Amino acid sequence: MTAATRPSAGADEGRSTLTPVEGQAASSPAGDTGSAETRRSARSGVAGLLGAATSGLFGFVLAVVITRSYGPAGAGAFFAAIGVVTVATAICTLGAETGLMWALPRRSAGVRGDAARVLPVALIPPLVTGLLVAGAGVLAADALAPRLLGGSGASGGALLTVTFAAVPVVVTMTLLLAALRCVRPIRAYVGVQFLLLPIARPALVGAAALAGGGLLAGMTGWLVPAALALLACLILVAGPLGLGRGATLRPRRADWSTFWRFALPRAASAAIDAGSMWVGVLLTSVLAGPADAGVFGAVGRYVLAGQLAMQGLRVAVSPQLSRLLGRGERAAAAAVHRQLTTWGLVLSWPVYLLLAVFALAFLQLFGPEFTAGVPAMTVLGLAMLVNTGVGNVQSLLLMGGRSGLHLVATVAGLTVTVSLGLWLIPRYGATGAAVAWAAGIATENLTAAGFARSVVREPLFDAAMVRAAAATIAGVGLAAGVGVLVGGRGLPGLAVALAVLLTGCVGMLTLPRVRAGIRGTMRQIRGGDNAATAAEPTSASTRGR
């Protein structure tokens, strides 16, 4: 049995979370509940998408700053250092960030609530683990640097020392960000995760490069915003949880067992999720050299930027999915998933199709040395169609309490990635790394989609999604074909394709059916429907999300 089919789980987590309004929503017809929940998810989803768009833009700016400032070998070392802190942080959090996202929506906040009791349970083990990893990494930095950061030169040891020393800070920031998403409106999370971090990093890294600083100064500029984000999260989380105003922080024994029974299976899968690209960077650095690692890292930045739309949707609705699945409202959860998957598909597939066709144009923006990554970009662009096409099935598994099944899917993907990488990278460099990662992406997502369907027991795909996918492929394919015929696969062809796409989008706005669909979506976003208001929870546990 899962949390999706065990309403008592919500009561165990926090007995005061349900109010009469919520009880009415829970007993309403499935269609009304699903409609109300999709309206709510639309409002949260738009906020997440806007934040993700900003983050993606500045993430691209950061990649340009790094590649232009340090060249292929230096960029490879820089990306490898980012990979070290990313993978180390994902390991040290022990799955607690997802645990917070799952547990807090099922508890009551405020001074008299029980939500604050989760913080010590979630923070102490990861922080201790982070301190141990940081200490071991600092001691071993000089020995590890020649293998992991081959393009860093004499500063490799110091660069790796700073990277490992920052792990406890980044771990704490990651956990507080998860708590922030659950206890504040989504705009607070967007402000820190999608604005503060991505805007500050290219600014500080660029300032360090302009001042003549080397890789060590640049990496310091990348790490400093994490400390600022940690302080911002701590201030924002304290009020809703009643910290400093009498809320109890002493957990009960059952709090530990309940939380970590869910979180520990997520620990390994979280490390795999966060480190999927960076494992490829590190393998490429070791097996093919820093230059190939720099090319693969640059390609990966584009791939991750395209994924931000799905990330924005996921963080927007994960607490909502936890609440719905915790109450056994599987039909409403599936309706939310289908709507947001359609949105993510329409927004992400054009990006990945253009990346696949015009890889040369995109990589030319980093410099001529990076155009060797064209085959890798094409392979990964096509593979990400699978990732975004199945939607956030991982969130359905995790918010339904099935972290074990999610672990099985991620381990399957990692096994494929590493096995193929060890075989292909020494011979094919960045292209081999891309093929290995693409196979791992497809394996993990298709496995997770099968598990999610068996757990939710509701359709996760519908005819609207199929129509959206077909229309997206046809429209983008036509524009890309015109661009290639007129200007080739370089920047001129990309400019033509974008112009054709823009013209087509403007033309579609003249169609009555399209305008009606946009008006309906805007009504969802504005929340102008009484049913949506009636279905909104008003308890302390969910107010303000």
Side-chain angles (χ1 to χ4, degrees):
M1 298 292 286
T2 73
T5 59
R6 191 176 60 236
S8 61
D12 292 340
E13 293 293 343
R15 285 177 290 278
S16 59
T17 56
L18 289 180
T19 67
V21 173
E22 284 184 290
Q24 293 167 10
S27 62
S28 63
D32 292 343
T33 301
S35 178
E37 292 295 346
T38 54
R39 282 188 286 271
R40 183 179 185 188
S41 68
R43 296 192 293 276
S44 296
V46 167
L49 285 173
L50 292 176
T54 304
S55 179
L57 172 62
F58 283 95
F60 170 73
V61 172
L62 175 63
V64 172
V65 169
I66 293 173
T67 53
R68 289 286 185 177
S69 300
Y70 300 107
F78 201 120
F79 288 135
I82 295 175
V84 168
V85 73
T86 302
V87 174
T89 297
I91 293 172
C92 293
T93 53
L94 304 177
E97 76 283 12
T98 307
L100 284 167
M101 198 81 74
W102 170 75
L104 285 177
R106 304 171 183 227
R107 290 175 174 257
S108 55
V111 175
R112 294 184 178 86
D114 60 351
R117 296 204 318 253
V118 179
L119 284 185
V121 176
L123 287 173
I124 292 174
L127 186 55
V128 171
T129 305
L131 290 169
L132 292 175
V133 169
V138 167
L139 293 176
D142 289 335
L144 291 174
R147 296 298 296 169
L148 293 178
L149 310 179
S152 58
S155 64
L159 177 61
L160 208 52
T161 297
V162 170
T163 299
F164 275 112
V167 167
V169 175
V170 182
V171 167
T172 308
M173 177 205 72
T174 301
L175 297 177
L176 290 178
L177 272 170
L180 176 63
R181 174 60 195 97
C182 295
V183 302
R184 287 277 189 180
I186 190 173
R187 59 179 177 271
Y189 178 91
V190 168
V192 178
Q193 175 69 24
F194 290 147
L195 296 180
L196 172 60
L197 285 170
I199 292 175
R201 278 173 170 161
L204 293 179
V205 173
L210 290 175
L215 286 171
L216 180 60
M219 189 63 189
T220 302
W222 188 87
L223 291 169
V224 165
L228 300 177
L230 188 158
L231 293 175
C233 288
L234 188 59
I235 294 170
L236 291 168
V237 165
L241 292 181
L243 303 181
R245 296 187 290 115
T248 179
L249 285 170
R250 179 177 296 178
R252 299 173 183 173
R253 180 175 298 179
D255 294 329
W256 290 91
S257 59
T258 299
F259 184 89
W260 287 107
R261 236 187 350 257
F262 170 85
L264 279 179
R266 172 60 177 154
S269 61
I272 297 169
D273 284 344
S276 57
M277 187 195 94
W278 303 111
V279 167
V281 172
L282 295 174
L283 279 176
T284 306
S285 180
V286 171
L287 299 176
D292 274 285
V295 170
F296 182 69
V299 169
R301 299 305 296 184
Y302 276 118
V303 171
L304 294 181
Q307 199 174 6
L308 282 170
M310 296 300 294
Q311 180 186 350
L313 293 171
R314 180 174 65 249
V315 299
V317 301
S318 286
Q320 182 184 5
L321 289 175
S322 175
R323 177 174 54 81
L324 291 172
L325 293 172
R327 296 194 316 218
E329 297 180 19
R330 295 188 300 272
V336 169
H337 171 82
R338 289 192 297 268
Q339 172 176 275
L340 295 188
T341 299
T342 303
W343 284 22
L345 185 153
V346 170
L347 293 170
S348 298
W349 277 25
V351 175
Y352 287 122
L353 289 169
L354 291 176
L355 285 176
V357 176
F358 297 103
L360 176 63
F362 287 104
L363 290 171
Q364 283 175 335
L365 298 175
F366 289 154
E369 306 95 333
F370 292 89
T371 56
V374 168
M377 179 88 87
T378 301
V379 168
L380 286 173
L382 296 175
M384 293 303 290
L385 298 180
V386 177
N387 183 29
T388 51
V390 300
N392 284 317
V393 288
Q394 290 88 347
S395 292
L396 284 176
L397 288 175
L398 292 170
M399 295 303 102
R402 303 304 299 268
S403 52
L405 290 178
H406 184 264
L407 175 60
V408 172
T410 53
V411 168
L414 178 67
T415 302
V416 172
T417 298
V418 174
S419 300
L420 287 179
L422 292 173
W423 177 38
L424 296 175
I425 290 173
R427 179 177 298 182
Y428 301 106
T431 302
V435 172
W437 189 20
I441 288 170
T443 300
E444 176 183 344
N445 282 278
L446 294 176
T447 303
F451 286 155
R453 177 65 178 86
S454 66
V455 168
V456 178
R457 299 201 297 274
E458 294 285 344
L460 301 183
F461 305 93
D462 57 16
M465 294 171 59
V466 174
R467 289 194 297 269
T472 301
I473 292 175
V476 178
L478 176 62
V482 173
V484 171
L485 289 175
V486 174
R489 298 183 66 186
L491 288 171
L494 175 60
V496 171
L498 292 175
V500 173
L501 272 179
L502 179 61
T503 302
C505 290
V506 171
M508 288 182 64
L509 292 177
T510 63
L511 300 177
R513 184 174 180 179
V514 173
R515 293 202 303 271
I518 293 174
R519 284 195 297 269
T521 301
M522 294 305 297
R523 282 196 297 271
Q524 286 185 318
I525 295 167
R526 289 193 297 266
D529 189 297
N530 293 333
T533 304
E536 289 287 345
T538 58
S539 70
S541 67
T542 56
R543 189 182 301 119
R545 285 207 305 276

